[in-house]
Amino acid sequence: MRRTHTCCELGANDAGAEVVLMGWVQRRRDHGGVIFVDLRDRDGITQVVFNPEVSSMVHEKAHVLRSEYVIGIRGKVEKRLEGMANPNLKTGEIEVFATELNIFNAAETPPFMIEDNVDVSENVRLKYRHIDLRRTLLQKNIINRHRAAASVRQYLNSRRFIDIETPVLTRSTPEGARDYLVPSRVNPGLFYALPQSPQIFKQLLMIAGFDRYYQIVKCFRDEDLRADRQPEFTQIDMEMSFVGEDEVMDIAQGLMVKLFKDVLDIDLNVPFPRLSYEDAVGRFGLDKPDIRFGLELVDISDIVEKAGFKVFSDAVNKGGKVKALNAKGCLNFTRKEIDDLADFVSVYRAKGLAWIKVHEESWQSPIAKFFSDEEKEALARKIDMQAGDLVFFVADQPKVVDEALGHLRNLLGKKRGLIQENTFSFVWVTRFPLLEYDENEKRYQALHHPFTAPLEEDYDLLEKDPLSVRSRAYDLVLNGSEIGGGSIRIHQKNLQERVFEALGMDRKTYEEKFGFLLSALDSGAPPHGGIAFGFDRLVMILCGQSSIRDVIPFPKTQKAACLLTNAPSEAGKAQLEELSLRIKKL
RNA sequence: GGGGGUGUAGCUCAGCUCUGGUUAGAGCGCCGGCCUGUCAAGCCGGAGGUCGCGAGUUCAAGUCUCGUCACUCCCGCCA
């Protein structure tokens, strides 16, 4: 028996043909006399008919068929009679009358039905992932993932990029996320780290003269999981020599255009708009703004600085600020709804959410009484307050204000239906701060990574005022989700040393950790830069999914476990012995 | 590390709070029977439960209390 067609190919034109189909029994409808089987494979479903008048032997045999049995059938394609076609099936015009049945394998009753609209709890799905993956939706997602990867490779290949592999067993670097460590058997007590990204290697490849590199590559970060974060994830990683921001962004935009055309047949408009980090945070509160809708934040610090409302004026005087968000037309929000929103912003450490309801003649608000008529007028003008509006305020340290209102903005956008579905709204965010201050560790940290080049005009600030140094980093944001980020790198040793020092590393430390990179920079390093995309997130968006797990064949749970294989698991005594490891009993 | 949600039949859930009380229900699936035009087939019958786990309170716990585990969403974290 040799397969002649897949389960979605046959149509009315094939009537009369003898075919062989193979696949899984999606469903069986046994009428005693005639038995219908929906035969499923990767591509679709075809109805197979077992009719005793065609072959009583085969019909008899078909009685044992159950869901998920794997079978092959030989049979004759027949056009269905008038009124019996199934418009829901691609192959609904025809059916195949079986003359031969081969049962390759029986199957246990599946733990859940192989259907898209059945929602099954995550742990059951993950435990039986091989069955979950049979559902059309996941099959589509995984196939789209493949198409996306193919599209990326095609695009980059055509633009002189070279696919080069980099090591998975590498060395731990001090900055960044927690590393996954791998013990070295032949070097007792020493460890490799799995790469958080191929960052340094791709820079070394530029120094080696490969000019343009890319890789679709697994990266590993041992941090807590989210709906859009897995401990191992895939990046589209690329790097180019002799370029500045514009060249990298052009290539990245071209890649998105190609990707969306190939996978979704959507034409994107380029170039994508650009926002400086300062504007993004100023207007939208977040460095990954969702620009599909307005509802921008307004800084009113200058108006309320001297107002009688202590919460506002104190915040400004202590180095914080006050910002407003005008929820146009939300006057009808109930007290309960507003309280819920206050709870919502408290998650982002906002201590309160002040509000004003703008009626025709007056304001309804717990805080209105604290403002003079002049201040009220100034507020109304700056925030564009009109009857029917509901204005929210947060006063706090700048970071808290922006994050709280930024997330509130996204929530209101969703809640008010301001977000048009099926639109893809890209925006570049540029000129990130080079460094930020880590309150916990009491030191400066690279916002992007320590190899990111500062803006040339800000070099002098590296020593004078490190926090105000801006970088040549850029993120690509899609619908409020960061899908990629990169930068122009430092290609000169002495600038790299200055940045290490700004980060609080002494010469000894950076010589030890990054000596090889510094020496490489001194060996003839071209100017270079690149970008990396979160491939899983991109595919998630391309597939219209809300969890990254639905586009990853074998994802891990929030505790980073694989429920299918039960990884991670204990290591045997002998294994530990070989690795010179002893497990500390807790 | 912290906060929220969920956990009852193979699956999805009701029952659980205010108010603990007979034999824990439903739909789908499964098994058996009938059935030659269904495509979520139909009709009849049946099986199926450690109420996540462990303590406690009580005459009595799916239900109340405490702990614990798992899944999930979020905060922290994620160069």
Side-chain angles (χ1 to χ4, degrees), chain A residues 27 80 84 95 176 197 223-224 446 448 549 558:
Chain A
R27 200 173 253 114
R80 294 201 199 181
M84 288 203 212
E95 56 198 351
S197 88
E223 297 293 347
D224 287 348
H448 190 56
R549 290 186 296 275
Q558 201 161 32

mmCIF file of all heavy atoms in Angstrom, chain A residues 27 80 84 95 176 197 223-224 446 448 549 558, chain B residues 10 12 36-39 41 72-73 76-79:
data_model
loop_
_atom_site.group_PDB
_atom_site.id
_atom_site.type_symbol
_atom_site.label_atom_id
_atom_site.label_comp_id
_atom_site.label_asym_id
_atom_site.label_seq_id
_atom_site.Cartn_x
_atom_site.Cartn_y
_atom_site.Cartn_z
ATOM 1 N N ARG A 27 -12.959 10.720 13.525
ATOM 2 C CA ARG A 27 -14.255 10.393 14.084
ATOM 3 C C ARG A 27 -14.864 9.272 13.261
ATOM 4 O O ARG A 27 -14.614 9.167 12.067
ATOM 5 C CB ARG A 27 -15.166 11.630 14.034
ATOM 6 C CG ARG A 27 -16.320 11.542 14.984
ATOM 7 C CD ARG A 27 -17.098 12.837 15.020
ATOM 8 N NE ARG A 27 -16.863 13.568 16.262
ATOM 9 C CZ ARG A 27 -16.246 14.721 16.344
ATOM 10 N NH1 ARG A 27 -15.744 15.271 15.270
ATOM 11 N NH2 ARG A 27 -16.119 15.321 17.495
ATOM 12 N N ARG A 80 -19.995 13.297 -4.171
ATOM 13 C CA ARG A 80 -21.153 13.082 -3.300
ATOM 14 C C ARG A 80 -22.443 13.470 -4.017
ATOM 15 O O ARG A 80 -22.441 14.358 -4.877
ATOM 16 C CB ARG A 80 -21.031 13.914 -2.025
ATOM 17 C CG ARG A 80 -19.871 13.481 -1.149
ATOM 18 C CD ARG A 80 -20.104 13.964 0.254
ATOM 19 N NE ARG A 80 -18.858 13.985 1.018
ATOM 20 C CZ ARG A 80 -18.808 14.363 2.284
ATOM 21 N NH1 ARG A 80 -19.902 14.780 2.912
ATOM 22 N NH2 ARG A 80 -17.666 14.355 2.943
ATOM 23 N N MET A 84 -25.531 16.378 -0.359
ATOM 24 C CA MET A 84 -24.792 15.635 0.666
ATOM 25 C C MET A 84 -23.364 16.117 0.830
ATOM 26 O O MET A 84 -22.617 15.583 1.634
ATOM 27 C CB MET A 84 -24.789 14.158 0.303
ATOM 28 C CG MET A 84 -26.152 13.546 0.498
ATOM 29 S SD MET A 84 -25.994 11.811 0.707
ATOM 30 C CE MET A 84 -27.499 11.257 -0.022
ATOM 31 N N GLU A 95 -16.183 11.732 -1.433
ATOM 32 C CA GLU A 95 -15.874 10.801 -0.355
ATOM 33 C C GLU A 95 -15.214 9.598 -1.004
ATOM 34 O O GLU A 95 -15.277 9.405 -2.218
ATOM 35 C CB GLU A 95 -17.144 10.397 0.389
ATOM 36 C CG GLU A 95 -18.223 9.801 -0.502
ATOM 37 C CD GLU A 95 -19.594 9.821 0.169
ATOM 38 O OE1 GLU A 95 -19.664 10.127 1.363
ATOM 39 O OE2 GLU A 95 -20.582 9.515 -0.519
ATOM 40 N N GLY A 176 23.742 40.592 33.016
ATOM 41 C CA GLY A 176 22.562 40.022 32.404
ATOM 42 C C GLY A 176 21.806 39.034 33.253
ATOM 43 O O GLY A 176 21.816 39.094 34.470
ATOM 44 N N SER A 197 22.602 34.789 24.639
ATOM 45 C CA SER A 197 22.511 35.172 23.237
ATOM 46 C C SER A 197 23.911 34.999 22.678
ATOM 47 O O SER A 197 24.871 34.943 23.428
ATOM 48 C CB SER A 197 22.035 36.616 23.083
ATOM 49 O OG SER A 197 23.146 37.493 23.114
ATOM 50 N N GLU A 223 15.489 32.660 34.165
ATOM 51 C CA GLU A 223 14.679 33.626 34.900
ATOM 52 C C GLU A 223 13.243 33.112 34.951
ATOM 53 O O GLU A 223 12.902 32.168 34.253
ATOM 54 C CB GLU A 223 14.734 34.988 34.209
ATOM 55 C CG GLU A 223 16.125 35.609 34.176
ATOM 56 C CD GLU A 223 16.643 35.995 35.556
ATOM 57 O OE1 GLU A 223 15.846 36.021 36.511
ATOM 58 O OE2 GLU A 223 17.859 36.246 35.666
ATOM 59 N N ASP A 224 12.416 33.756 35.762
ATOM 60 C CA ASP A 224 11.051 33.282 35.910
ATOM 61 C C ASP A 224 10.258 33.477 34.625
ATOM 62 O O ASP A 224 10.465 34.432 33.888
ATOM 63 C CB ASP A 224 10.365 33.986 37.078
ATOM 64 C CG ASP A 224 10.893 33.479 38.406
ATOM 65 O OD1 ASP A 224 11.598 32.448 38.398
ATOM 66 O OD2 ASP A 224 10.609 34.093 39.437
ATOM 67 N N ALA A 446 24.081 48.037 32.406
ATOM 68 C CA ALA A 446 23.776 48.344 31.013
ATOM 69 C C ALA A 446 22.301 48.056 30.778
ATOM 70 O O ALA A 446 21.794 47.027 31.191
ATOM 71 C CB ALA A 446 24.625 47.493 30.088
ATOM 72 N N HIS A 448 20.914 47.785 27.792
ATOM 73 C CA HIS A 448 20.853 46.832 26.683
ATOM 74 C C HIS A 448 21.880 45.734 26.959
ATOM 75 O O HIS A 448 21.562 44.690 27.473
ATOM 76 C CB HIS A 448 21.138 47.582 25.386
ATOM 77 C CG HIS A 448 20.879 46.796 24.162
ATOM 78 N ND1 HIS A 448 19.662 46.214 23.891
ATOM 79 C CD2 HIS A 448 21.686 46.463 23.112
ATOM 80 C CE1 HIS A 448 19.748 45.566 22.736
ATOM 81 N NE2 HIS A 448 20.947 45.702 22.246
ATOM 82 N N ARG A 549 3.544 29.586 24.344
ATOM 83 C CA ARG A 549 3.552 28.117 24.416
ATOM 84 C C ARG A 549 2.799 27.496 23.244
ATOM 85 O O ARG A 549 3.028 26.339 22.909
ATOM 86 C CB ARG A 549 2.932 27.644 25.733
ATOM 87 C CG ARG A 549 3.782 27.948 26.960
ATOM 88 C CD ARG A 549 3.184 27.333 28.206
ATOM 89 N NE ARG A 549 1.889 27.915 28.504
ATOM 90 C CZ ARG A 549 1.699 29.028 29.187
ATOM 91 N NH1 ARG A 549 2.730 29.672 29.688
ATOM 92 N NH2 ARG A 549 0.499 29.496 29.397
ATOM 93 N N GLN A 558 5.431 26.959 33.969
ATOM 94 C CA GLN A 558 5.945 28.141 34.653
ATOM 95 C C GLN A 558 7.072 27.798 35.627
ATOM 96 O O GLN A 558 7.898 28.634 35.949
ATOM 97 C CB GLN A 558 4.816 28.842 35.388
ATOM 98 C CG GLN A 558 5.126 30.286 35.677
ATOM 99 C CD GLN A 558 3.886 31.082 35.984
ATOM 100 O OE1 GLN A 558 2.936 30.558 36.540
ATOM 101 N NE2 GLN A 558 3.885 32.333 35.624
ATOM 102 P P G B 10 -11.481 9.573 35.671
ATOM 103 O OP1 G B 10 -11.576 8.108 35.624
ATOM 104 O OP2 G B 10 -10.679 10.255 36.710
ATOM 105 O "O5'" G B 10 -10.971 10.096 34.244
ATOM 106 C "C5'" G B 10 -9.636 9.795 33.809
ATOM 107 C "C4'" G B 10 -9.497 10.252 32.375
ATOM 108 O "O4'" G B 10 -10.416 9.481 31.572
ATOM 109 C "C3'" G B 10 -9.889 11.708 32.150
ATOM 110 O "O3'" G B 10 -8.775 12.561 32.312
ATOM 111 C "C2'" G B 10 -10.420 11.699 30.728
ATOM 112 O "O2'" G B 10 -9.343 11.728 29.802
ATOM 113 C "C1'" G B 10 -11.087 10.321 30.641
ATOM 114 N N9 G B 10 -12.511 10.344 31.007
ATOM 115 C C8 G B 10 -13.096 9.614 32.006
ATOM 116 N N7 G B 10 -14.386 9.812 32.105
ATOM 117 C C5 G B 10 -14.664 10.722 31.109
ATOM 118 C C6 G B 10 -15.897 11.304 30.731
ATOM 119 O O6 G B 10 -17.024 11.134 31.224
ATOM 120 N N1 G B 10 -15.739 12.187 29.678
ATOM 121 C C2 G B 10 -14.543 12.462 29.065
ATOM 122 N N2 G B 10 -14.611 13.351 28.070
ATOM 123 N N3 G B 10 -13.378 11.923 29.401
ATOM 124 C C4 G B 10 -13.521 11.066 30.418
ATOM 125 P P U B 12 -9.988 19.381 31.569
ATOM 126 O OP1 U B 12 -8.928 20.387 31.407
ATOM 127 O OP2 U B 12 -10.160 18.694 32.866
ATOM 128 O "O5'" U B 12 -11.389 20.041 31.198
ATOM 129 C "C5'" U B 12 -11.515 20.840 30.034
ATOM 130 C "C4'" U B 12 -12.923 21.372 29.937
ATOM 131 O "O4'" U B 12 -13.842 20.259 29.772
ATOM 132 C "C3'" U B 12 -13.428 22.078 31.183
ATOM 133 O "O3'" U B 12 -12.977 23.418 31.243
ATOM 134 C "C2'" U B 12 -14.937 21.955 31.029
ATOM 135 O "O2'" U B 12 -15.433 22.888 30.091
ATOM 136 C "C1'" U B 12 -15.070 20.551 30.422
ATOM 137 N N1 U B 12 -15.314 19.526 31.458
ATOM 138 C C2 U B 12 -16.623 19.314 31.856
ATOM 139 O O2 U B 12 -17.553 19.944 31.395
ATOM 140 N N3 U B 12 -16.797 18.342 32.808
ATOM 141 C C4 U B 12 -15.805 17.580 33.397
ATOM 142 O O4 U B 12 -16.109 16.748 34.245
ATOM 143 C C5 U B 12 -14.478 17.862 32.942
ATOM 144 C C6 U B 12 -14.273 18.802 32.005
ATOM 145 P P U B 36 -29.689 -0.447 8.657
ATOM 146 O OP1 U B 36 -30.490 -1.330 7.792
ATOM 147 O OP2 U B 36 -28.367 -0.909 9.193
ATOM 148 O "O5'" U B 36 -29.423 0.919 7.877
ATOM 149 C "C5'" U B 36 -28.506 1.890 8.389
ATOM 150 C "C4'" U B 36 -27.995 2.750 7.266
ATOM 151 O "O4'" U B 36 -27.107 1.956 6.436
ATOM 152 C "C3'" U B 36 -29.080 3.296 6.352
ATOM 153 O "O3'" U B 36 -28.712 4.617 5.984
ATOM 154 C "C2'" U B 36 -29.002 2.382 5.128
ATOM 155 O "O2'" U B 36 -29.421 2.997 3.937
ATOM 156 C "C1'" U B 36 -27.500 2.095 5.083
ATOM 157 N N1 U B 36 -27.144 0.857 4.383
ATOM 158 C C2 U B 36 -26.342 0.991 3.264
ATOM 159 O O2 U B 36 -25.933 2.071 2.856
ATOM 160 N N3 U B 36 -26.039 -0.185 2.629
ATOM 161 C C4 U B 36 -26.454 -1.440 2.993
ATOM 162 O O4 U B 36 -26.097 -2.392 2.335
ATOM 163 C C5 U B 36 -27.283 -1.495 4.169
ATOM 164 C C6 U B 36 -27.597 -0.360 4.796
ATOM 165 P P G B 37 -29.823 5.752 6.102
ATOM 166 O OP1 G B 37 -30.309 5.707 7.493
ATOM 167 O OP2 G B 37 -30.769 5.657 4.976
ATOM 168 O "O5'" G B 37 -28.991 7.098 5.890
ATOM 169 C "C5'" G B 37 -28.186 7.629 6.947
ATOM 170 C "C4'" G B 37 -27.365 8.757 6.400
ATOM 171 O "O4'" G B 37 -26.273 8.210 5.619
ATOM 172 C "C3'" G B 37 -28.135 9.686 5.460
ATOM 173 O "O3'" G B 37 -27.607 11.003 5.585
ATOM 174 C "C2'" G B 37 -27.742 9.185 4.082
ATOM 175 O "O2'" G B 37 -27.831 10.157 3.071
ATOM 176 C "C1'" G B 37 -26.288 8.800 4.341
ATOM 177 N N9 G B 37 -25.734 7.827 3.387
ATOM 178 C C8 G B 37 -26.126 6.542 3.168
ATOM 179 N N7 G B 37 -25.389 5.934 2.270
ATOM 180 C C5 G B 37 -24.469 6.900 1.874
ATOM 181 C C6 G B 37 -23.420 6.839 0.940
ATOM 182 O O6 G B 37 -23.069 5.887 0.241
ATOM 183 N N1 G B 37 -22.737 8.026 0.854
ATOM 184 C C2 G B 37 -23.024 9.149 1.578
ATOM 185 N N2 G B 37 -22.259 10.202 1.355
ATOM 186 N N3 G B 37 -23.992 9.225 2.468
ATOM 187 C C4 G B 37 -24.671 8.074 2.564
ATOM 188 P P U B 38 -28.327 12.104 6.529
ATOM 189 O OP1 U B 38 -29.557 11.536 7.119
ATOM 190 O OP2 U B 38 -28.369 13.353 5.766
ATOM 191 O "O5'" U B 38 -27.248 12.284 7.681
ATOM 192 C "C5'" U B 38 -27.366 11.558 8.888
ATOM 193 C "C4'" U B 38 -26.002 11.238 9.409
ATOM 194 O "O4'" U B 38 -25.292 10.435 8.444
ATOM 195 C "C3'" U B 38 -25.092 12.442 9.622
ATOM 196 O "O3'" U B 38 -25.356 13.093 10.854
ATOM 197 C "C2'" U B 38 -23.721 11.794 9.612
ATOM 198 O "O2'" U B 38 -23.450 11.166 10.835
ATOM 199 C "C1'" U B 38 -23.901 10.708 8.551
ATOM 200 N N1 U B 38 -23.384 11.128 7.233
ATOM 201 C C2 U B 38 -22.009 11.134 7.068
ATOM 202 O O2 U B 38 -21.248 10.824 7.954
ATOM 203 N N3 U B 38 -21.570 11.526 5.845
ATOM 204 C C4 U B 38 -22.341 11.895 4.778
ATOM 205 O O4 U B 38 -21.799 12.223 3.724
ATOM 206 C C5 U B 38 -23.762 11.859 5.020
ATOM 207 C C6 U B 38 -24.221 11.481 6.214
ATOM 208 P P C B 39 -25.211 14.676 10.953
ATOM 209 O OP1 C B 39 -25.479 15.017 12.369
ATOM 210 O OP2 C B 39 -25.965 15.334 9.871
ATOM 211 O "O5'" C B 39 -23.667 14.916 10.667
ATOM 212 C "C5'" C B 39 -22.678 14.543 11.627
ATOM 213 C "C4'" C B 39 -21.314 14.726 11.025
ATOM 214 O "O4'" C B 39 -21.224 13.991 9.785
ATOM 215 C "C3'" C B 39 -20.956 16.149 10.627
ATOM 216 O "O3'" C B 39 -20.426 16.814 11.748
ATOM 217 C "C2'" C B 39 -19.916 15.959 9.549
ATOM 218 O "O2'" C B 39 -18.632 15.746 10.101
ATOM 219 C "C1'" C B 39 -20.364 14.648 8.898
ATOM 220 N N1 C B 39 -21.088 14.848 7.634
ATOM 221 C C2 C B 39 -20.333 15.017 6.462
ATOM 222 O O2 C B 39 -19.101 15.017 6.536
ATOM 223 N N3 C B 39 -20.979 15.171 5.291
ATOM 224 C C4 C B 39 -22.309 15.162 5.260
ATOM 225 N N4 C B 39 -22.904 15.316 4.082
ATOM 226 C C5 C B 39 -23.096 14.995 6.442
ATOM 227 C C6 C B 39 -22.451 14.844 7.599
ATOM 228 P P A B 41 -20.060 13.375 15.329
ATOM 229 O OP1 A B 41 -19.800 12.435 16.418
ATOM 230 O OP2 A B 41 -19.151 13.463 14.191
ATOM 231 O "O5'" A B 41 -21.507 13.135 14.702
ATOM 232 C "C5'" A B 41 -22.456 12.413 15.431
ATOM 233 C "C4'" A B 41 -23.768 12.567 14.747
ATOM 234 O "O4'" A B 41 -23.810 11.695 13.579
ATOM 235 C "C3'" A B 41 -24.966 12.128 15.576
ATOM 236 O "O3'" A B 41 -25.382 13.147 16.464
ATOM 237 C "C2'" A B 41 -25.988 11.858 14.474
ATOM 238 O "O2'" A B 41 -26.511 13.048 13.941
ATOM 239 C "C1'" A B 41 -25.105 11.176 13.424
ATOM 240 N N9 A B 41 -25.041 9.718 13.609
ATOM 241 C C8 A B 41 -23.994 8.969 14.063
ATOM 242 N N7 A B 41 -24.240 7.682 14.123
ATOM 243 C C5 A B 41 -25.549 7.587 13.674
ATOM 244 C C6 A B 41 -26.407 6.488 13.492
ATOM 245 N N6 A B 41 -26.054 5.231 13.746
ATOM 246 N N1 A B 41 -27.651 6.737 13.035
ATOM 247 C C2 A B 41 -27.995 8.007 12.782
ATOM 248 N N3 A B 41 -27.270 9.125 12.900
ATOM 249 C C4 A B 41 -26.054 8.840 13.357
ATOM 250 P P U B 72 1.939 26.403 33.439
ATOM 251 O OP1 U B 72 2.365 26.341 32.048
ATOM 252 O OP2 U B 72 2.933 26.606 34.515
ATOM 253 O "O5'" U B 72 0.828 27.531 33.607
ATOM 254 C "C5'" U B 72 -0.259 27.615 32.699
ATOM 255 C "C4'" U B 72 -1.247 28.651 33.160
ATOM 256 O "O4'" U B 72 -1.683 28.322 34.507
ATOM 257 C "C3'" U B 72 -0.693 30.063 33.296
ATOM 258 O "O3'" U B 72 -0.678 30.729 32.054
ATOM 259 C "C2'" U B 72 -1.667 30.692 34.287
ATOM 260 O "O2'" U B 72 -2.876 31.029 33.641
ATOM 261 C "C1'" U B 72 -1.927 29.518 35.224
ATOM 262 N N1 U B 72 -1.047 29.542 36.405
ATOM 263 C C2 U B 72 -1.415 30.397 37.432
ATOM 264 O O2 U B 72 -2.396 31.107 37.385
ATOM 265 N N3 U B 72 -0.579 30.384 38.520
ATOM 266 C C4 U B 72 0.567 29.624 38.684
ATOM 267 O O4 U B 72 1.212 29.728 39.712
ATOM 268 C C5 U B 72 0.874 28.768 37.576
ATOM 269 C C6 U B 72 0.067 28.758 36.507
ATOM 270 P P C B 73 0.445 31.800 31.760
ATOM 271 O OP1 C B 73 0.453 31.990 30.310
ATOM 272 O OP2 C B 73 1.676 31.448 32.491
ATOM 273 O "O5'" C B 73 -0.144 33.113 32.453
ATOM 274 C "C5'" C B 73 -1.310 33.732 31.945
ATOM 275 C "C4'" C B 73 -1.724 34.857 32.854
ATOM 276 O "O4'" C B 73 -2.168 34.318 34.119
ATOM 277 C "C3'" C B 73 -0.619 35.825 33.265
ATOM 278 O "O3'" C B 73 -0.296 36.767 32.271
ATOM 279 C "C2'" C B 73 -1.227 36.447 34.513
ATOM 280 O "O2'" C B 73 -2.236 37.368 34.164
ATOM 281 C "C1'" C B 73 -1.864 35.227 35.167
ATOM 282 N N1 C B 73 -0.932 34.575 36.121
ATOM 283 C C2 C B 73 -0.875 35.080 37.413
ATOM 284 O O2 C B 73 -1.586 36.047 37.706
ATOM 285 N N3 C B 73 -0.038 34.511 38.308
ATOM 286 C C4 C B 73 0.724 33.471 37.950
ATOM 287 N N4 C B 73 1.537 32.941 38.865
ATOM 288 C C5 C B 73 0.696 32.935 36.625
ATOM 289 C C6 C B 73 -0.145 33.513 35.746
ATOM 290 P P G B 76 7.890 44.650 37.714
ATOM 291 O OP1 G B 76 8.281 46.066 37.564
ATOM 292 O OP2 G B 76 7.849 43.772 36.530
ATOM 293 O "O5'" G B 76 8.828 43.960 38.800
ATOM 294 C "C5'" G B 76 9.182 44.635 40.001
ATOM 295 C "C4'" G B 76 9.946 43.704 40.910
ATOM 296 O "O4'" G B 76 9.127 42.539 41.187
ATOM 297 C "C3'" G B 76 11.231 43.130 40.326
ATOM 298 O "O3'" G B 76 12.334 44.011 40.461
ATOM 299 C "C2'" G B 76 11.404 41.848 41.145
ATOM 300 O "O2'" G B 76 11.921 42.146 42.428
ATOM 301 C "C1'" G B 76 9.955 41.389 41.274
ATOM 302 N N9 G B 76 9.595 40.476 40.182
ATOM 303 C C8 G B 76 8.868 40.767 39.049
ATOM 304 N N7 G B 76 8.742 39.743 38.247
ATOM 305 C C5 G B 76 9.427 38.724 38.883
ATOM 306 C C6 G B 76 9.637 37.378 38.488
ATOM 307 O O6 G B 76 9.246 36.803 37.475
ATOM 308 N N1 G B 76 10.394 36.681 39.426
ATOM 309 C C2 G B 76 10.889 37.220 40.585
ATOM 310 N N2 G B 76 11.596 36.389 41.354
ATOM 311 N N3 G B 76 10.695 38.467 40.970
ATOM 312 C C4 G B 76 9.956 39.159 40.072
ATOM 313 P P C B 77 13.257 44.298 39.208
ATOM 314 O OP1 C B 77 14.410 45.051 39.709
ATOM 315 O OP2 C B 77 12.428 44.871 38.132
ATOM 316 O "O5'" C B 77 13.732 42.857 38.741
ATOM 317 C "C5'" C B 77 14.763 42.150 39.435
ATOM 318 C "C4'" C B 77 14.895 40.760 38.873
ATOM 319 O "O4'" C B 77 13.595 40.109 38.927
ATOM 320 C "C3'" C B 77 15.263 40.683 37.396
ATOM 321 O "O3'" C B 77 16.661 40.827 37.177
ATOM 322 C "C2'" C B 77 14.747 39.295 37.027
ATOM 323 O "O2'" C B 77 15.621 38.290 37.501
ATOM 324 C "C1'" C B 77 13.441 39.246 37.810
ATOM 325 N N1 C B 77 12.301 39.714 36.988
ATOM 326 C C2 C B 77 11.718 38.808 36.093
ATOM 327 O O2 C B 77 12.158 37.653 36.049
ATOM 328 N N3 C B 77 10.680 39.203 35.316
ATOM 329 C C4 C B 77 10.236 40.456 35.386
ATOM 330 N N4 C B 77 9.226 40.799 34.604
ATOM 331 C C5 C B 77 10.820 41.411 36.280
ATOM 332 C C6 C B 77 11.837 40.999 37.050
ATOM 333 P P C B 78 17.158 41.624 35.909
ATOM 334 O OP1 C B 78 18.622 41.518 35.917
ATOM 335 O OP2 C B 78 16.510 42.940 35.852
ATOM 336 O "O5'" C B 78 16.589 40.749 34.696
ATOM 337 C "C5'" C B 78 17.200 39.505 34.348
ATOM 338 C "C4'" C B 78 16.471 38.884 33.186
ATOM 339 O "O4'" C B 78 15.062 38.777 33.502
ATOM 340 C "C3'" C B 78 16.482 39.692 31.898
ATOM 341 O "O3'" C B 78 17.676 39.510 31.179
ATOM 342 C "C2'" C B 78 15.277 39.124 31.168
ATOM 343 O "O2'" C B 78 15.564 37.872 30.593
ATOM 344 C "C1'" C B 78 14.292 38.929 32.325
ATOM 345 N N1 C B 78 13.410 40.097 32.473
ATOM 346 C C2 C B 78 12.351 40.250 31.562
ATOM 347 O O2 C B 78 12.186 39.393 30.680
ATOM 348 N N3 C B 78 11.544 41.320 31.674
ATOM 349 C C4 C B 78 11.762 42.220 32.630
ATOM 350 N N4 C B 78 10.930 43.257 32.696
ATOM 351 C C5 C B 78 12.834 42.089 33.560
ATOM 352 C C6 C B 78 13.636 41.026 33.444
ATOM 353 P P A B 79 17.983 40.597 30.081
ATOM 354 O OP1 A B 79 17.032 41.713 30.203
ATOM 355 O OP2 A B 79 18.088 39.858 28.845
ATOM 356 O "O5'" A B 79 19.413 41.121 30.454
ATOM 357 C "C5'" A B 79 19.653 41.737 31.719
ATOM 358 C "C4'" A B 79 20.932 42.485 31.690
ATOM 359 O "O4'" A B 79 21.914 41.706 30.999
ATOM 360 C "C3'" A B 79 20.856 43.829 30.957
ATOM 361 O "O3'" A B 79 21.746 44.749 31.636
ATOM 362 C "C2'" A B 79 21.419 43.497 29.597
ATOM 363 O "O2'" A B 79 21.967 44.577 28.930
ATOM 364 C "C1'" A B 79 22.479 42.480 29.958
ATOM 365 N N9 A B 79 22.882 41.574 28.900
ATOM 366 C C8 A B 79 24.143 41.063 28.741
ATOM 367 N N7 A B 79 24.258 40.261 27.698
ATOM 368 C C5 A B 79 23.005 40.276 27.147
ATOM 369 C C6 A B 79 22.485 39.641 26.025
ATOM 370 N N6 A B 79 23.193 38.831 25.239
ATOM 371 N N1 A B 79 21.205 39.859 25.725
ATOM 372 C C2 A B 79 20.491 40.662 26.515
ATOM 373 N N3 A B 79 20.862 41.299 27.602
ATOM 374 C C4 A B 79 22.150 41.073 27.874
#
